[in-house]
Amino acid sequence: MSFRVVPAAYVLPLRRVGATDEVLLQLRCGTGYRDGHWAAAAAGHVEADESVYAAACREAEEELGIGITPADLVPLTVMHRTQGNGQPIDERVDFFFSCRTWTGEPRRVEQAKSADLRWYRLDDLPEPVVPHELFVLEGLRRGDLPAIVSFGFDPAVSSEPGAPRR
C-alpha cells in the first residue's frame, strides 16, 4: 500500500479591534475528534476534484454561513502532520488561510458539531485549543509562522512547539 495523506483546508477569520487582531473560533462537539476543544471557525477535508481554495470557501459557507472567494483567502502555512500511529486517516496535510473579508454574518450552521462560536484576541486564546491549530495561532500572533511546518514528527526536525527550528 502506498503512502497517503488527507488534505484539509482551515479558515481563520480575522478582524482588527483597536490595536489587536481577533480570530473567530468554534468549540467542537459531537465530532469524536477533540470535542471540547476550540478550533478554527471553519475547516474540513478537500474533496475529490476540488482545489484547496474551493474547499476553504465551501467550508466557510457550510460551517459559518458566510461567503468568501479565493481572492479573500490569505495563505498562512501548510502543515504536514502525523499522529505517528501509521493509520492513513492520521497522516495529514493542512492548508491554513486567514480572511478579513466575507459576506454575511458568521454563525453556527452545523449546530451538532459546534457548541459555541466566539471571537478571541490572538494574545488571549481560550483553553484548550486543538494542539496543531494552537501552533498556527501562536505563530500568527508572534508573526513568525513558517510557510511550511511539520507537526507530530521527530521534534529535532519538526516545527512543533518547543522544538528547534532548522
PDB file of all heavy atoms in Angstrom, residues 50-88:
ATOM      1  N   GLU A  50     -11.507  18.958  -6.162  1.00  0.00           N
ATOM      2  CA  GLU A  50     -11.740  20.267  -5.563  1.00  0.00           C
ATOM      3  C   GLU A  50     -10.401  20.890  -5.198  1.00  0.00           C
ATOM      4  O   GLU A  50      -9.544  20.221  -4.614  1.00  0.00           O
ATOM      5  CB  GLU A  50     -12.603  20.093  -4.305  1.00  0.00           C
ATOM      6  CG  GLU A  50     -12.941  21.366  -3.590  1.00  0.00           C
ATOM      7  CD  GLU A  50     -13.792  21.135  -2.348  1.00  0.00           C
ATOM      8  OE1 GLU A  50     -13.434  20.256  -1.518  1.00  0.00           O
ATOM      9  OE2 GLU A  50     -14.815  21.823  -2.203  1.00  0.00           O
ATOM     10  N   SER A  51     -10.199  22.155  -5.523  1.00  0.00           N
ATOM     11  CA  SER A  51      -8.967  22.831  -5.115  1.00  0.00           C
ATOM     12  C   SER A  51      -9.044  23.149  -3.621  1.00  0.00           C
ATOM     13  O   SER A  51     -10.139  23.215  -3.037  1.00  0.00           O
ATOM     14  CB  SER A  51      -8.772  24.125  -5.901  1.00  0.00           C
ATOM     15  OG  SER A  51      -9.629  25.143  -5.425  1.00  0.00           O
ATOM     16  N   VAL A  52      -7.905  23.380  -3.015  1.00  0.00           N
ATOM     17  CA  VAL A  52      -7.876  23.719  -1.596  1.00  0.00           C
ATOM     18  C   VAL A  52      -8.572  25.060  -1.368  1.00  0.00           C
ATOM     19  O   VAL A  52      -9.226  25.269  -0.340  1.00  0.00           O
ATOM     20  CB  VAL A  52      -6.436  23.684  -1.039  1.00  0.00           C
ATOM     21  CG1 VAL A  52      -5.580  24.809  -1.608  1.00  0.00           C
ATOM     22  CG2 VAL A  52      -6.439  23.716   0.472  1.00  0.00           C
ATOM     23  N   TYR A  53      -8.483  25.970  -2.343  1.00  0.00           N
ATOM     24  CA  TYR A  53      -9.180  27.255  -2.227  1.00  0.00           C
ATOM     25  C   TYR A  53     -10.697  27.048  -2.257  1.00  0.00           C
ATOM     26  O   TYR A  53     -11.432  27.642  -1.464  1.00  0.00           O
ATOM     27  CB  TYR A  53      -8.759  28.204  -3.348  1.00  0.00           C
ATOM     28  CG  TYR A  53      -7.383  28.771  -3.161  1.00  0.00           C
ATOM     29  CD1 TYR A  53      -6.276  28.180  -3.743  1.00  0.00           C
ATOM     30  CD2 TYR A  53      -7.187  29.917  -2.399  1.00  0.00           C
ATOM     31  CE1 TYR A  53      -5.003  28.704  -3.571  1.00  0.00           C
ATOM     32  CE2 TYR A  53      -5.918  30.454  -2.216  1.00  0.00           C
ATOM     33  CZ  TYR A  53      -4.829  29.838  -2.806  1.00  0.00           C
ATOM     34  OH  TYR A  53      -3.581  30.369  -2.628  1.00  0.00           O
ATOM     35  N   ALA A  54     -11.159  26.216  -3.175  1.00  0.00           N
ATOM     36  CA  ALA A  54     -12.598  25.931  -3.253  1.00  0.00           C
ATOM     37  C   ALA A  54     -13.075  25.252  -1.974  1.00  0.00           C
ATOM     38  O   ALA A  54     -14.172  25.544  -1.480  1.00  0.00           O
ATOM     39  CB  ALA A  54     -12.897  25.069  -4.470  1.00  0.00           C
ATOM     40  N   ALA A  55     -12.257  24.359  -1.413  1.00  0.00           N
ATOM     41  CA  ALA A  55     -12.619  23.676  -0.170  1.00  0.00           C
ATOM     42  C   ALA A  55     -12.749  24.676   0.975  1.00  0.00           C
ATOM     43  O   ALA A  55     -13.700  24.604   1.769  1.00  0.00           O
ATOM     44  CB  ALA A  55     -11.589  22.605   0.176  1.00  0.00           C
ATOM     45  N   ALA A  56     -11.824  25.619   1.061  1.00  0.00           N
ATOM     46  CA  ALA A  56     -11.887  26.627   2.126  1.00  0.00           C
ATOM     47  C   ALA A  56     -13.150  27.472   1.992  1.00  0.00           C
ATOM     48  O   ALA A  56     -13.849  27.720   2.992  1.00  0.00           O
ATOM     49  CB  ALA A  56     -10.642  27.508   2.087  1.00  0.00           C
ATOM     50  N   CYS A  57     -13.482  27.884   0.788  1.00  0.00           N
ATOM     51  CA  CYS A  57     -14.696  28.680   0.565  1.00  0.00           C
ATOM     52  C   CYS A  57     -15.948  27.868   0.900  1.00  0.00           C
ATOM     53  O   CYS A  57     -16.873  28.374   1.553  1.00  0.00           O
ATOM     54  CB  CYS A  57     -14.742  29.168  -0.879  1.00  0.00           C
ATOM     55  SG  CYS A  57     -13.416  30.323  -1.307  1.00  0.00           S
ATOM     56  N   ARG A  58     -15.967  26.612   0.484  1.00  0.00           N
ATOM     57  CA  ARG A  58     -17.111  25.739   0.764  1.00  0.00           C
ATOM     58  C   ARG A  58     -17.285  25.535   2.265  1.00  0.00           C
ATOM     59  O   ARG A  58     -18.395  25.620   2.804  1.00  0.00           O
ATOM     60  CB  ARG A  58     -16.924  24.387   0.062  1.00  0.00           C
ATOM     61  CG  ARG A  58     -18.013  23.362   0.388  1.00  0.00           C
ATOM     62  CD  ARG A  58     -17.782  22.025  -0.300  1.00  0.00           C
ATOM     63  NE  ARG A  58     -16.467  21.462  -0.103  1.00  0.00           N
ATOM     64  CZ  ARG A  58     -16.038  20.872   1.027  1.00  0.00           C
ATOM     65  NH1 ARG A  58     -16.834  20.770   2.083  1.00  0.00           N
ATOM     66  NH2 ARG A  58     -14.818  20.366   1.096  1.00  0.00           N
ATOM     67  N   GLU A  59     -16.192  25.260   2.972  1.00  0.00           N
ATOM     68  CA  GLU A  59     -16.276  25.033   4.413  1.00  0.00           C
ATOM     69  C   GLU A  59     -16.769  26.282   5.150  1.00  0.00           C
ATOM     70  O   GLU A  59     -17.544  26.175   6.102  1.00  0.00           O
ATOM     71  CB  GLU A  59     -14.928  24.582   4.974  1.00  0.00           C
ATOM     72  CG  GLU A  59     -14.508  23.187   4.543  1.00  0.00           C
ATOM     73  CD  GLU A  59     -15.381  22.075   5.125  1.00  0.00           C
ATOM     74  OE1 GLU A  59     -16.101  22.296   6.124  1.00  0.00           O
ATOM     75  OE2 GLU A  59     -15.339  20.959   4.569  1.00  0.00           O
ATOM     76  N   ALA A  60     -16.340  27.467   4.725  1.00  0.00           N
ATOM     77  CA  ALA A  60     -16.809  28.707   5.355  1.00  0.00           C
ATOM     78  C   ALA A  60     -18.317  28.857   5.188  1.00  0.00           C
ATOM     79  O   ALA A  60     -19.018  29.257   6.125  1.00  0.00           O
ATOM     80  CB  ALA A  60     -16.080  29.906   4.770  1.00  0.00           C
ATOM     81  N   GLU A  61     -18.819  28.499   4.015  1.00  0.00           N
ATOM     82  CA  GLU A  61     -20.270  28.563   3.777  1.00  0.00           C
ATOM     83  C   GLU A  61     -21.005  27.503   4.599  1.00  0.00           C
ATOM     84  O   GLU A  61     -22.005  27.796   5.258  1.00  0.00           O
ATOM     85  CB  GLU A  61     -20.566  28.372   2.289  1.00  0.00           C
ATOM     86  CG  GLU A  61     -22.039  28.296   1.956  1.00  0.00           C
ATOM     87  CD  GLU A  61     -22.797  29.597   2.194  1.00  0.00           C
ATOM     88  OE1 GLU A  61     -22.204  30.672   2.037  1.00  0.00           O
ATOM     89  OE2 GLU A  61     -23.986  29.517   2.544  1.00  0.00           O
ATOM     90  N   GLU A  62     -20.491  26.261   4.587  1.00  0.00           N
ATOM     91  CA  GLU A  62     -21.162  25.167   5.288  1.00  0.00           C
ATOM     92  C   GLU A  62     -21.155  25.325   6.803  1.00  0.00           C
ATOM     93  O   GLU A  62     -22.128  24.983   7.470  1.00  0.00           O
ATOM     94  CB  GLU A  62     -20.499  23.829   4.936  1.00  0.00           C
ATOM     95  CG  GLU A  62     -20.749  23.354   3.531  1.00  0.00           C
ATOM     96  CD  GLU A  62     -20.005  22.078   3.174  1.00  0.00           C
ATOM     97  OE1 GLU A  62     -19.265  21.526   4.024  1.00  0.00           O
ATOM     98  OE2 GLU A  62     -20.153  21.638   2.028  1.00  0.00           O
ATOM     99  N   GLU A  63     -20.056  25.824   7.362  1.00  0.00           N
ATOM    100  CA  GLU A  63     -19.922  25.867   8.819  1.00  0.00           C
ATOM    101  C   GLU A  63     -20.269  27.213   9.439  1.00  0.00           C
ATOM    102  O   GLU A  63     -20.686  27.272  10.594  1.00  0.00           O
ATOM    103  CB  GLU A  63     -18.510  25.453   9.232  1.00  0.00           C
ATOM    104  CG  GLU A  63     -18.213  24.004   8.868  1.00  0.00           C
ATOM    105  CD  GLU A  63     -16.886  23.508   9.392  1.00  0.00           C
ATOM    106  OE1 GLU A  63     -16.346  24.102  10.342  1.00  0.00           O
ATOM    107  OE2 GLU A  63     -16.390  22.501   8.862  1.00  0.00           O
ATOM    108  N   LEU A  64     -20.082  28.308   8.657  1.00  0.00           N
ATOM    109  CA  LEU A  64     -20.295  29.646   9.210  1.00  0.00           C
ATOM    110  C   LEU A  64     -21.394  30.426   8.513  1.00  0.00           C
ATOM    111  O   LEU A  64     -21.778  31.498   8.987  1.00  0.00           O
ATOM    112  CB  LEU A  64     -18.992  30.453   9.134  1.00  0.00           C
ATOM    113  CG  LEU A  64     -17.803  29.888   9.891  1.00  0.00           C
ATOM    114  CD1 LEU A  64     -16.552  30.699   9.587  1.00  0.00           C
ATOM    115  CD2 LEU A  64     -18.090  29.846  11.373  1.00  0.00           C
ATOM    116  N   GLY A  65     -21.850  29.934   7.359  1.00  0.00           N
ATOM    117  CA  GLY A  65     -22.874  30.640   6.615  1.00  0.00           C
ATOM    118  C   GLY A  65     -22.381  31.926   5.985  1.00  0.00           C
ATOM    119  O   GLY A  65     -23.170  32.815   5.692  1.00  0.00           O
ATOM    120  N   ILE A  66     -21.069  32.046   5.768  1.00  0.00           N
ATOM    121  CA  ILE A  66     -20.518  33.251   5.146  1.00  0.00           C
ATOM    122  C   ILE A  66     -19.988  32.930   3.755  1.00  0.00           C
ATOM    123  O   ILE A  66     -19.600  31.803   3.475  1.00  0.00           O
ATOM    124  CB  ILE A  66     -19.400  33.898   5.994  1.00  0.00           C
ATOM    125  CG1 ILE A  66     -18.220  32.940   6.211  1.00  0.00           C
ATOM    126  CG2 ILE A  66     -19.970  34.388   7.326  1.00  0.00           C
ATOM    127  CD1 ILE A  66     -17.015  33.570   6.905  1.00  0.00           C
ATOM    128  N   GLY A  67     -19.985  33.934   2.918  1.00  0.00           N
ATOM    129  CA  GLY A  67     -19.440  33.785   1.577  1.00  0.00           C
ATOM    130  C   GLY A  67     -18.051  34.383   1.498  1.00  0.00           C
ATOM    131  O   GLY A  67     -17.843  35.537   1.881  1.00  0.00           O
ATOM    132  N   ILE A  68     -17.107  33.580   1.058  1.00  0.00           N
ATOM    133  CA  ILE A  68     -15.762  34.085   0.780  1.00  0.00           C
ATOM    134  C   ILE A  68     -15.364  33.605  -0.599  1.00  0.00           C
ATOM    135  O   ILE A  68     -15.886  32.607  -1.106  1.00  0.00           O
ATOM    136  CB  ILE A  68     -14.720  33.658   1.844  1.00  0.00           C
ATOM    137  CG1 ILE A  68     -14.616  32.131   1.958  1.00  0.00           C
ATOM    138  CG2 ILE A  68     -15.038  34.261   3.188  1.00  0.00           C
ATOM    139  CD1 ILE A  68     -13.509  31.674   2.899  1.00  0.00           C
ATOM    140  N   THR A  69     -14.454  34.308  -1.207  1.00  0.00           N
ATOM    141  CA  THR A  69     -13.934  33.937  -2.509  1.00  0.00           C
ATOM    142  C   THR A  69     -12.462  33.585  -2.355  1.00  0.00           C
ATOM    143  O   THR A  69     -11.824  33.977  -1.371  1.00  0.00           O
ATOM    144  CB  THR A  69     -14.067  35.097  -3.517  1.00  0.00           C
ATOM    145  OG1 THR A  69     -13.168  36.153  -3.124  1.00  0.00           O
ATOM    146  CG2 THR A  69     -15.499  35.621  -3.589  1.00  0.00           C
ATOM    147  N   PRO A  70     -11.896  32.881  -3.319  1.00  0.00           N
ATOM    148  CA  PRO A  70     -10.462  32.591  -3.235  1.00  0.00           C
ATOM    149  C   PRO A  70      -9.612  33.858  -3.066  1.00  0.00           C
ATOM    150  O   PRO A  70      -8.604  33.823  -2.363  1.00  0.00           O
ATOM    151  CB  PRO A  70     -10.169  31.874  -4.548  1.00  0.00           C
ATOM    152  CG  PRO A  70     -11.459  31.161  -4.856  1.00  0.00           C
ATOM    153  CD  PRO A  70     -12.528  32.158  -4.431  1.00  0.00           C
ATOM    154  N   ALA A  71     -10.042  34.960  -3.644  1.00  0.00           N
ATOM    155  CA  ALA A  71      -9.288  36.216  -3.510  1.00  0.00           C
ATOM    156  C   ALA A  71      -9.295  36.742  -2.076  1.00  0.00           C
ATOM    157  O   ALA A  71      -8.420  37.527  -1.705  1.00  0.00           O
ATOM    158  CB  ALA A  71      -9.847  37.264  -4.467  1.00  0.00           C
ATOM    159  N   ASP A  72     -10.285  36.332  -1.264  1.00  0.00           N
ATOM    160  CA  ASP A  72     -10.365  36.754   0.136  1.00  0.00           C
ATOM    161  C   ASP A  72      -9.395  35.988   1.030  1.00  0.00           C
ATOM    162  O   ASP A  72      -9.135  36.411   2.158  1.00  0.00           O
ATOM    163  CB  ASP A  72     -11.779  36.527   0.688  1.00  0.00           C
ATOM    164  CG  ASP A  72     -12.844  37.337  -0.015  1.00  0.00           C
ATOM    165  OD1 ASP A  72     -12.557  38.465  -0.456  1.00  0.00           O
ATOM    166  OD2 ASP A  72     -13.981  36.826  -0.138  1.00  0.00           O
ATOM    167  N   LEU A  73      -8.892  34.856   0.567  1.00  0.00           N
ATOM    168  CA  LEU A  73      -8.053  33.975   1.375  1.00  0.00           C
ATOM    169  C   LEU A  73      -6.591  34.393   1.331  1.00  0.00           C
ATOM    170  O   LEU A  73      -6.031  34.625   0.260  1.00  0.00           O
ATOM    171  CB  LEU A  73      -8.186  32.531   0.883  1.00  0.00           C
ATOM    172  CG  LEU A  73      -9.571  31.917   1.022  1.00  0.00           C
ATOM    173  CD1 LEU A  73      -9.635  30.593   0.273  1.00  0.00           C
ATOM    174  CD2 LEU A  73      -9.936  31.742   2.487  1.00  0.00           C
ATOM    175  N   VAL A  74      -5.979  34.441   2.500  1.00  0.00           N
ATOM    176  CA  VAL A  74      -4.551  34.731   2.619  1.00  0.00           C
ATOM    177  C   VAL A  74      -3.877  33.467   3.146  1.00  0.00           C
ATOM    178  O   VAL A  74      -4.145  33.044   4.276  1.00  0.00           O
ATOM    179  CB  VAL A  74      -4.291  35.910   3.583  1.00  0.00           C
ATOM    180  CG1 VAL A  74      -2.800  36.135   3.773  1.00  0.00           C
ATOM    181  CG2 VAL A  74      -4.999  37.169   3.092  1.00  0.00           C
ATOM    182  N   PRO A  75      -3.019  32.835   2.338  1.00  0.00           N
ATOM    183  CA  PRO A  75      -2.328  31.628   2.820  1.00  0.00           C
ATOM    184  C   PRO A  75      -1.438  31.957   4.022  1.00  0.00           C
ATOM    185  O   PRO A  75      -0.693  32.937   4.000  1.00  0.00           O
ATOM    186  CB  PRO A  75      -1.478  31.195   1.617  1.00  0.00           C
ATOM    187  CG  PRO A  75      -2.117  31.858   0.433  1.00  0.00           C
ATOM    188  CD  PRO A  75      -2.686  33.144   0.947  1.00  0.00           C
ATOM    189  N   LEU A  76      -1.534  31.139   5.063  1.00  0.00           N
ATOM    190  CA  LEU A  76      -0.726  31.325   6.265  1.00  0.00           C
ATOM    191  C   LEU A  76       0.408  30.323   6.346  1.00  0.00           C
ATOM    192  O   LEU A  76       1.557  30.689   6.563  1.00  0.00           O
ATOM    193  CB  LEU A  76      -1.596  31.196   7.515  1.00  0.00           C
ATOM    194  CG  LEU A  76      -2.689  32.231   7.708  1.00  0.00           C
ATOM    195  CD1 LEU A  76      -3.543  31.889   8.917  1.00  0.00           C
ATOM    196  CD2 LEU A  76      -2.077  33.622   7.852  1.00  0.00           C
ATOM    197  N   THR A  77       0.076  29.041   6.230  1.00  0.00           N
ATOM    198  CA  THR A  77       1.075  27.986   6.317  1.00  0.00           C
ATOM    199  C   THR A  77       0.486  26.687   5.787  1.00  0.00           C
ATOM    200  O   THR A  77      -0.731  26.539   5.707  1.00  0.00           O
ATOM    201  CB  THR A  77       1.578  27.784   7.770  1.00  0.00           C
ATOM    202  OG1 THR A  77       2.743  26.955   7.769  1.00  0.00           O
ATOM    203  CG2 THR A  77       0.519  27.166   8.656  1.00  0.00           C
ATOM    204  N   VAL A  78       1.357  25.778   5.440  1.00  0.00           N
ATOM    205  CA  VAL A  78       0.981  24.405   5.113  1.00  0.00           C
ATOM    206  C   VAL A  78       1.637  23.536   6.172  1.00  0.00           C
ATOM    207  O   VAL A  78       2.835  23.656   6.436  1.00  0.00           O
ATOM    208  CB  VAL A  78       1.452  23.995   3.703  1.00  0.00           C
ATOM    209  CG1 VAL A  78       1.146  22.522   3.441  1.00  0.00           C
ATOM    210  CG2 VAL A  78       0.821  24.882   2.646  1.00  0.00           C
ATOM    211  N   MET A  79       0.845  22.666   6.792  1.00  0.00           N
ATOM    212  CA  MET A  79       1.349  21.816   7.862  1.00  0.00           C
ATOM    213  C   MET A  79       1.230  20.349   7.464  1.00  0.00           C
ATOM    214  O   MET A  79       0.148  19.871   7.146  1.00  0.00           O
ATOM    215  CB  MET A  79       0.538  22.053   9.143  1.00  0.00           C
ATOM    216  CG  MET A  79       0.952  21.155  10.300  1.00  0.00           C
ATOM    217  SD  MET A  79      -0.049  21.431  11.784  1.00  0.00           S
ATOM    218  CE  MET A  79       0.679  22.946  12.396  1.00  0.00           C
ATOM    219  N   HIS A  80       2.369  19.650   7.475  1.00  0.00           N
ATOM    220  CA  HIS A  80       2.376  18.201   7.306  1.00  0.00           C
ATOM    221  C   HIS A  80       2.418  17.631   8.709  1.00  0.00           C
ATOM    222  O   HIS A  80       3.329  17.926   9.481  1.00  0.00           O
ATOM    223  CB  HIS A  80       3.602  17.771   6.502  1.00  0.00           C
ATOM    224  CG  HIS A  80       3.653  16.298   6.265  1.00  0.00           C
ATOM    225  ND1 HIS A  80       4.834  15.627   6.091  1.00  0.00           N
ATOM    226  CD2 HIS A  80       2.684  15.367   6.169  1.00  0.00           C
ATOM    227  CE1 HIS A  80       4.582  14.340   5.898  1.00  0.00           C
ATOM    228  NE2 HIS A  80       3.277  14.167   5.948  1.00  0.00           N
ATOM    229  N   ARG A  81       1.407  16.841   9.058  1.00  0.00           N
ATOM    230  CA  ARG A  81       1.357  16.332  10.431  1.00  0.00           C
ATOM    231  C   ARG A  81       0.988  14.861  10.463  1.00  0.00           C
ATOM    232  O   ARG A  81       0.414  14.324   9.526  1.00  0.00           O
ATOM    233  CB  ARG A  81       0.412  17.152  11.298  1.00  0.00           C
ATOM    234  CG  ARG A  81      -1.042  17.046  10.955  1.00  0.00           C
ATOM    235  CD  ARG A  81      -1.880  17.959  11.864  1.00  0.00           C
ATOM    236  NE  ARG A  81      -3.227  18.065  11.375  1.00  0.00           N
ATOM    237  CZ  ARG A  81      -4.247  17.331  11.809  1.00  0.00           C
ATOM    238  NH1 ARG A  81      -4.073  16.446  12.770  1.00  0.00           N
ATOM    239  NH2 ARG A  81      -5.450  17.482  11.296  1.00  0.00           N
ATOM    240  N   THR A  82       1.335  14.258  11.587  1.00  0.00           N
ATOM    241  CA  THR A  82       1.056  12.848  11.808  1.00  0.00           C
ATOM    242  C   THR A  82       0.647  12.628  13.257  1.00  0.00           C
ATOM    243  O   THR A  82       1.010  13.418  14.136  1.00  0.00           O
ATOM    244  CB  THR A  82       2.295  11.992  11.491  1.00  0.00           C
ATOM    245  OG1 THR A  82       1.951  10.606  11.627  1.00  0.00           O
ATOM    246  CG2 THR A  82       3.462  12.295  12.410  1.00  0.00           C
ATOM    247  N   GLN A  83      -0.108  11.566  13.477  1.00  0.00           N
ATOM    248  CA  GLN A  83      -0.373  11.106  14.835  1.00  0.00           C
ATOM    249  C   GLN A  83       0.660  10.038  15.217  1.00  0.00           C
ATOM    250  O   GLN A  83       0.684   9.571  16.348  1.00  0.00           O
ATOM    251  CB  GLN A  83      -1.786  10.528  14.949  1.00  0.00           C
ATOM    252  CG  GLN A  83      -2.871  11.562  14.783  1.00  0.00           C
ATOM    253  CD  GLN A  83      -2.923  12.558  15.927  1.00  0.00           C
ATOM    254  OE1 GLN A  83      -2.639  12.247  17.074  1.00  0.00           O
ATOM    255  NE2 GLN A  83      -3.274  13.784  15.608  1.00  0.00           N
ATOM    256  N   GLY A  84       1.466   9.629  14.239  1.00  0.00           N
ATOM    257  CA  GLY A  84       2.526   8.658  14.499  1.00  0.00           C
ATOM    258  C   GLY A  84       2.042   7.249  14.726  1.00  0.00           C
ATOM    259  O   GLY A  84       2.760   6.422  15.288  1.00  0.00           O
ATOM    260  N   ASN A  85       0.824   6.935  14.274  1.00  0.00           N
ATOM    261  CA  ASN A  85       0.275   5.605  14.516  1.00  0.00           C
ATOM    262  C   ASN A  85       0.178   4.751  13.249  1.00  0.00           C
ATOM    263  O   ASN A  85      -0.315   3.631  13.300  1.00  0.00           O
ATOM    264  CB  ASN A  85      -1.101   5.705  15.187  1.00  0.00           C
ATOM    265  CG  ASN A  85      -2.106   6.465  14.339  1.00  0.00           C
ATOM    266  OD1 ASN A  85      -1.942   6.620  13.143  1.00  0.00           O
ATOM    267  ND2 ASN A  85      -3.162   6.941  14.986  1.00  0.00           N
ATOM    268  N   GLY A  86       0.617   5.289  12.118  1.00  0.00           N
ATOM    269  CA  GLY A  86       0.601   4.533  10.873  1.00  0.00           C
ATOM    270  C   GLY A  86      -0.755   4.436  10.200  1.00  0.00           C
ATOM    271  O   GLY A  86      -0.874   3.836   9.131  1.00  0.00           O
ATOM    272  N   GLN A  87      -1.790   5.008  10.780  1.00  0.00           N
ATOM    273  CA  GLN A  87      -3.128   4.977  10.204  1.00  0.00           C
ATOM    274  C   GLN A  87      -3.238   6.023   9.093  1.00  0.00           C
ATOM    275  O   GLN A  87      -2.932   7.193   9.324  1.00  0.00           O
ATOM    276  CB  GLN A  87      -4.186   5.269  11.272  1.00  0.00           C
ATOM    277  CG  GLN A  87      -4.205   4.286  12.409  1.00  0.00           C
ATOM    278  CD  GLN A  87      -4.707   2.922  11.955  1.00  0.00           C
ATOM    279  OE1 GLN A  87      -5.617   2.812  11.168  1.00  0.00           O
ATOM    280  NE2 GLN A  87      -4.070   1.874  12.466  1.00  0.00           N
ATOM    281  N   PRO A  88      -3.683   5.642   7.902  1.00  0.00           N
ATOM    282  CA  PRO A  88      -3.786   6.619   6.818  1.00  0.00           C
ATOM    283  C   PRO A  88      -4.629   7.848   7.166  1.00  0.00           C
ATOM    284  O   PRO A  88      -4.295   8.959   6.745  1.00  0.00           O
ATOM    285  CB  PRO A  88      -4.434   5.825   5.684  1.00  0.00           C
ATOM    286  CG  PRO A  88      -4.046   4.413   5.957  1.00  0.00           C
ATOM    287  CD  PRO A  88      -4.017   4.293   7.459  1.00  0.00           C
TER     288      PRO A  88
END
